[in-house]
C-alpha cells in the first residue's frame, strides 16, 4: 500500500461547554469566578450529568450563577445553600445536587449549615470560592481576609487583635466523618486550573458514588476589590493566599483513590 | 376509620403523612417536639425524607429546597423557632413554592415559656418575614380540626403556591382527645412542571426570589396581591355557634374560641342571648362576616390568649358600628370559662357607647384579676 | 514543522482582562486597541504566527470566550508491516 497525502484535519481543542448558557457573565474583567463556573460546566458535560443536575446559587457575587448554567437551578438565602441542597437531595436522591458559594456565604453566615451538611455526610458537592473578601457588597472584610489585608471594613489592615484570624474551611471540614472529599486548589495559573478541574471532577464523582459530602475550595481573585490588575491578582493568590491557605488534599475517601 | 384517642402533636404529624407529606425538616422545641419525634419514626419507615436540622434556620431552608423539588413538604415548630424561620419563609413566599408550617404557639416574647399562647397572631397573620407577601393562616380549635386542616393546608399551599400556617397552641399539641385520622393518600406520580428535577428534555427551571430590576419585582408583587385577592374570595372559613338569634357576639379563635363555647352555653342558661363567631382562616380574615355580625348584634367581645391582636382586625371590620370589647390572658395563661362568662355578663350589661380603647380598659381589669390571684 | 493553531475570541464574552495575554507561552496574543466589543472592551486577538493551539489562553479565560483550533499533525499512513 502506498502512503496517501492527507489534508490536515482541523481539531477544536477548546470550546465553551454545553452546560453554559450564551449569556455573558456579570463578573468583573479578570475575576476567576468565571473560570470556576467554566470548570464546573465542563465536568458536568464530561460526566453527562447536565440533565439530572440541580445547582444551588448563593448570595454574593455569584448570586446570578443560575443564569450561566444550562440546567435546573435554585437561588438560596445567604449562607443557606447547603440546607437547601440537603432538602433537594433528600427528596430527589438520584439527582446531582451542588452548591456554589463564596467565602462570606459559606464561612461566615453559613458556617452552621456547611458544617452540619458535612457532619451528616450529605451527598452533595460544594464549590467554595475563597477570594478573601466580600465582593458583591464592595470589598468588606471576609472571614478569610488575610491578616493585615486592607478592605473597606478593615481600612487599616485586618488587625487580628480586633477582628481575629482567617478561617480555614478545608481544615475544619476534614475533621467531619461525613466528609468524603475535601480539597483546596487554586485558580492562579493554567497548571493549577487543570488541577482544580480534576478535583471538581472527583468532587462530583464522590456524590455519584455515594461517598458523602464533597467540597473543593478554590483560591480565587478579586481584582476590583483588591484594587490590582487581573494579572497581579493571580500573583497575589500565589504569593499571599497560598501560604495562608495551603493547597492540598485534606480528606479523600479511600475509594476515590482507585 | 374509627375515632381513636390521639395526642395532638402526634396526630398532626400522622395527618401530614397521610396527606402525602414526603419531606419533614425540623428542630426540637417544646411544645411541638412530639411532631418531630413522630416524623422521625414514621418517615424513614415509609422511605420519605426526615432530617433533624441543626437549627430552625436550616430546617426551613431544607423545606425551601425540597419544596422547589416539587414535593409536599413541611416543618413544625413553636414560636421562638418560627421567628428563626422567618428568613426562609419570606424566600419561600418570594419564590412562590408551596410549604406548610405548623406553629404550636407558646408564651412570649423572647424565650417566654412553654405554655399555650396566641401571641404570634401578628407574626402569623401579618406576614412576619420581610417584604410583600400574604400567608394563609388556619386556626384549629381541636385535635380533629388540626388533623383536617393539615390536609387542607397542603391542598391550599399547592393550589395557590403559597405558604400555609396551621397555628395550634400548646394545649392542642399536648392534649389527647378522640379524633379520626384520614386514609393514606396516594403520592403524585409526576412532579409539577415548575419543579427543579433535572432539565431532561425541557428548558431549565430556575426557582428564585430575586428580581433585581424593581419593575420586575413589582410585577411579582402584583401577581402575589392578585393571588391573595383570589384567596380572600375563595377560602374564607369560620365556625358559628348560637349566632342565629344572638344579641351579643363573642369572637375568638383556636383554644380561646373553644373555651368561650363553654362560657356561652352557661350564659345562655342565664338568658343572655350570646353566640360565638370563630374565624378558622385568620388570614384571609372573615371581614365581611364580622361586618355583617356587627349590623345585627348590640356588642362584640373579642377573646384571645394575647394582648388583643385579632381585636384590631375585628375593630377594622366593625368600623365603629357597635362597641368592641376585649378580654385576653397572656404569657401562656389559658382563660377559664368562668372568666369569660364574667366578661359576657359584663358586656351584656354595659350600655356605654362605642369604646375606642378596649385594650386599655381590659388591661386595668386584668391587673385586678391577677392581683386577686385568679 | 511546528503544529499550527489559532484562536477565535468571542466578542460578546471577552472583557479584555488580558489574562490570556500574560499566560500565552508563545507571546502571540494581545488586546486589540483598535477595536471595542459591543460591551466596550478591547478584545484579545492573535498578533503573530506561532500559536500552537495549546489552549492555555482558554484555560485561564474567565469568560469562556476563546475557542481554540489546531491543525492535526499529518502523519503519513504507514503501509501494513506485512506488505
Amino acid at each position: 500500500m502506498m502512503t496517501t497525502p492527507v489534508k490536515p484535519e482541523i481539531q477544536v481543542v477548546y470550546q465553551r461547554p454545553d452546560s453554559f448558557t450564551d449569556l455573558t457573565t456579570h463578573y468583573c474583567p479578570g475575576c476567576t469566578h468565571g473560570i470556576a463556573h467554566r470548570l464546573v460546566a465542563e465536568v458536568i458535560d464530561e460526566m453527562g450529568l447536565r440533565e439530572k443536575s440541580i445547582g444551588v446559587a448563593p448570595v454574593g457575587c455569584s448570586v446570578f450563577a443560575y443564569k450561566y448554567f444550562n440546567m435546573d437551578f435554585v437561588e438560596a438565602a445567604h449562607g443557606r445553600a447547603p440546607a437547601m441542597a440537603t432538602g433537594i437531595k433528600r427528596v430527589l436522591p438520584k439527582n446531582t445536587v451542588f452548591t456554589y458559594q463564596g467565602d462570606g456565604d459559606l464561612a461566615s453566615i453559613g458556617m452552621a449549615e456547611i458544617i452540619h451538611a458535612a457532619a451528616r455526610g450529605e451527598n452533595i458537592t460544594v464549590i467554595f470560592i475563597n477570594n478573601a473578601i466580600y465582593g458583591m457588597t464592595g470589598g468588606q472584610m471576609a472571614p478569610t481576609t488575610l491578616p493585615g489585608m486592607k478592605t473597606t471594613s478593615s481600612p487599616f489592615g485586618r488587625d487580628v487583635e480586633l477582628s481575629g484570624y482567617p478561617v480555614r474551611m478545608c481544615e475544619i471540614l476534614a475533621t467531619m466523618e461525613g466528609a468524603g472529599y475535601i480539597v483546596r486548589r487554586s485558580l492562579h495559573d493554567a497548571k493549577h486550573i487543570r488541577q482544580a478541574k480534576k478535583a471538581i471532577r472527583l468532587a462530583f464523582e464522590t456524590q455519584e458514588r455515594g461517598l458523602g459530602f464533597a467540597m473543593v475550595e478554590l483560591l480565587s481573585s478579586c481584582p476590583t476589590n483588591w484594587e490590582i490588575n487581573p494579572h497581579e491578582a493571580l500573583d497575589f493568590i500565589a504569593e499571599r493566599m497560598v501560604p495562608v491557605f495551603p493547597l492540598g488534599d485534606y480528606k479523600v475517601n479511600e475509594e476515590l483513590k482507585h | 376509620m374509627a375515632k381513636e384517642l390521639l395526642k395532638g402533636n402526634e396526630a398532626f404529624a400522622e395527618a401530614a403523612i397521610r396527606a402525602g407529606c414526603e419531606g419533614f425538616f425540623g428542630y426540637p422545641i417544646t411544645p411541638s417536639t412530639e411532631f418531630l419525634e413522630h416524623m422521625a419514626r414514621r418517615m424513614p419507615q415509609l422511605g420519605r425524607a426526615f432530617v433533624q436540622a441543626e437549627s430552625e434556620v436550616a430546617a426551613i431552608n431544607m423545606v425551601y429546597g425540597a419544596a422547589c423539588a416539587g414535593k409536599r413538604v413541611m416543618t413544625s415548630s413553636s414560636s421562638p423557632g418560627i421567628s428563626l424561620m422567618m428568613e426562609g419563609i419570606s424566600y419561600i413566599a418570594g419564590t412562590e413554592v408551596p410549604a406548610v408550617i405548623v406553629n404550636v404557639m407558646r408564651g412570649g416574647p423572647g424565650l417566654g415559656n412553654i405554655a399555650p399562647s396566641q401571641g404570634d397572631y401578628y407574626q402569623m397573620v401579618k406576614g412576619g418575614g420581610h417584604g410583600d407577601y400574604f400567608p394563609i393562616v388556619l386556626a384549629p380549635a381541636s385535635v380533629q380540626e388540626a388533623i383536617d386542616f393539615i390536609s387542607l393546608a397542603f391542598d391550599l399551599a399547592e393550589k395557590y403556591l403559597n405558604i400555609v400556617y396551621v397555628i395550634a397552641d400548646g394545649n392542642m399539641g399536648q392534649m389527647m382527645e378522640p379524633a379520626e385520622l384520614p386514609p393514606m393518600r396516594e403520592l403524585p406520580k409526576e412532579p409539577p412542571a415548575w419543579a427543579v428535577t433535572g432539565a431532561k428534555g425541557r428548558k431549565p427551571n430556575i426557582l428564585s426570589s430575586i428580581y433585581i430590576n424593581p419593575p420586575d419585582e413589582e410585577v411579582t408583587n402584583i401577581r402575589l396581591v392578585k393571588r391573595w385577592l383570589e384567596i380572600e374570595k375563595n377560602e374564607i372559613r369560620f365556625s358559628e355557634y348560637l349566632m342565629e338569634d344572638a344579641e351579643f357576639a363573642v369572637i375568638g379563635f383556636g383554644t380561646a374560641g373553644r373555651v368561650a363555647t363553654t362560657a356561652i352555653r352557661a350564659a345562655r342558661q342565664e338568658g343572655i342571648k350570646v353566640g360565638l363567631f370563630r374565624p378558622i382562616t385568620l388570614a384571609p380574615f372573615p371581614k365581611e362576616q364580622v361586618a355583617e355580625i356587627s349590623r345585627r348584634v348590640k356588642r362584640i367581645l373579642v377573646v384571645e390568649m394575647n394582648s388583643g391582636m385579632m381585636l384590631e382586625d375585628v375593630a377594622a371590620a366593625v368600623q365603629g358600628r357597635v362597641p368592641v370589647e376585649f378580654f385576653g390572658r397572656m404569657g401562656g395563661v389559658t382563660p377559664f370559662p368562668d372568666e369569660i362568662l364574667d366578661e359576657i355578663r359584663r358586656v351584656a350589661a354595659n350600655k356605654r357607647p362605642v369604646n375606642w380603647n378596649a385594650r386599655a380598659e381590659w388591661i386595668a381589669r386584668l391587673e385586678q384579676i391577677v392581683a386577686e390571684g385568679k | 514543522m511546528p503544529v499550527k493553531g489559532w484562536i477565535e475570541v468571542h466578542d460578546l464574552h471577552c472583557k479584555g482582562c488580558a489574562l490570556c495575554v500574560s499566560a500565552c507561552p508563545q507571546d502571540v496574543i494581545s488586546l486589540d486597541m483598535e477595536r471595542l466589543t459591543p460591551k466596550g472592551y478591547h478584545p484579545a486577538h492573535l498578533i503573530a504566527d506561532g500559536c500552537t493551539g495549546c489552549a492555555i489562553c482558554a484555560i485561564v479565560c474567565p469568560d469562556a470566550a476563546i475557542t481554540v483550533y489546531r491543525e492535526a499533525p499529518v502523519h503519513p499512513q504507514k503501509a501494513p508491516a506485512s506488505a
Side-chain angles (χ1 to χ4, degrees), chain B residues 204-222:
Chain B
N205 284 338
I206 309 293
L207 292 174
S208 157
S209 64
I210 190 170
Y211 297 93
I212 203 74
N213 186 24
D216 295 343
E217 179 71 73
E218 193 177 41
V219 166
T220 303
N221 294 144
I222 289 169

Side-chain angles (χ1 to χ4, degrees), chain B residues 6-10 12 29-35 104 114 116 143 169-177:
Chain B
L6 298 170
K7 178 160 183 174
N9 279 323
E10 290 172 6
F12 308 163
I29 184 168
T30 310
S32 164
T33 306
E34 297 87 355
F35 199 121
V104 184
I114 57 174
V143 171
D169 60 38
N171 284 316
M172 260 172 280
Q174 300 296 320
M175 71 166 61
M176 290 188 80
E177 68 177 344

Side-chain angles (χ1 to χ4, degrees), chain A residues 136-184:
Chain A
M136 190 205 231
T137 45
Q140 292 74 36
M141 186 181 71
T144 45
T145 292
L146 309 179
M149 189 172 163
K150 281 187 185 174
T151 70
T152 63
S153 57
S154 56
F156 311 110
R158 183 176 189 162
D159 179 348
V160 294
E161 294 294 320
L162 286 175
S163 40
Y165 295 85
V167 172
R168 297 186 180 95
M169 289 309 301
C170 282
E171 287 82 339
I172 293 171
L173 293 177
T175 66
M176 299 287 150
E177 281 192 42
Y181 187 68
I182 305 287
V183 302
R184 184 181 290 125

Side-chain angles (χ1 to χ4, degrees), chain A residues 1 3 6 8-16 22-25 27 29-31 34-35 38 190 193-194 230-231 234, chain C residues 6 12-13 15 17 19 22 39 41 53 55-56 58-64 67-72 74 77 79:
Chain A
M1 226 173 122
T3 57
V6 182
E9 194 184 325
I10 296 169
Q11 292 177 334
V12 177
V13 186
Y14 215 104
Q15 65 184 349
R16 223 177 146 77
D22 284 336
L23 281 177
T24 305
T25 69
Y27 300 115
C31 167
I35 299 177
R38 196 192 70 228
I193 292 168
R194 284 202 179 97
H231 177 79
L234 299 186
Chain C
W6 66 96
L12 211 61
H13 297 313
K15 294 173 186 156
C17 73
L19 288 185
S22 47
K39 290 191 186 281
Y41 299 111
I56 282 174
I59 288 169
V60 300
C61 175
D63 291 285
T67 310
V68 183
Y69 300 93
R70 179 156 59 184
E71 277 184 4
V74 183
Q77 284 180 2

Side-chain angles (χ1 to χ4, degrees), chain A residues 21 50-55 59 63-64 66-67 69-88 90-92 95 109 112-117 120 122 136, chain B residues 22-23 25 48-55 57-59 61-69 71 73 87-88 91 95 195-210 212:
Chain A
T21 62
R50 192 191 70 83
E51 291 187 335
K52 66 171 200 143
S53 285
I54 301 169
V59 170
V63 66
F64 295 123
Y66 59 85
K67 290 185 178 182
F69 290 94
N70 183 22
M71 60 193 70
D72 278 9
F73 242 91
V74 297
E75 165 60 54
H78 198 22
R80 317 297 176 222
M84 215 177 167
T86 297
I88 297 169
R90 291 293 183 113
V91 297
L92 297 174
N95 286 72
I109 197 167
E113 284 77 9
I114 197 70
I115 290 206
H116 285 275
R120 287 191 303 267
E122 292 297 339
M136 190 205 231
Chain B
E22 290 190 72
F25 308 91
R48 302 184 190 178
F50 168 87
V51 179
Q52 178 174 329
E54 60 271 30
S55 68
V57 176
N61 282 287
M62 291 175 190
V63 168
Y64 184 17
C68 288
K71 301 289 187 182
V73 291
E87 174 199 55
Y91 278 70
T95 309
V196 293
T197 53
K200 188 171 185 180
R202 60 162 168 79
K203 283 190 174 160
N205 284 338
I206 309 293
L207 292 174
S208 157
S209 64
I210 190 170
I212 203 74

Side-chain angles (χ1 to χ4, degrees), chain B residues 81-97:
Chain B
I82 296 286
S83 290
L84 274 172
M85 290 183 181
M86 278 300 158
E87 174 199 55
I89 288 169
S90 173
Y91 278 70
I92 292 170
T95 309
E96 301 168 68
V97 289

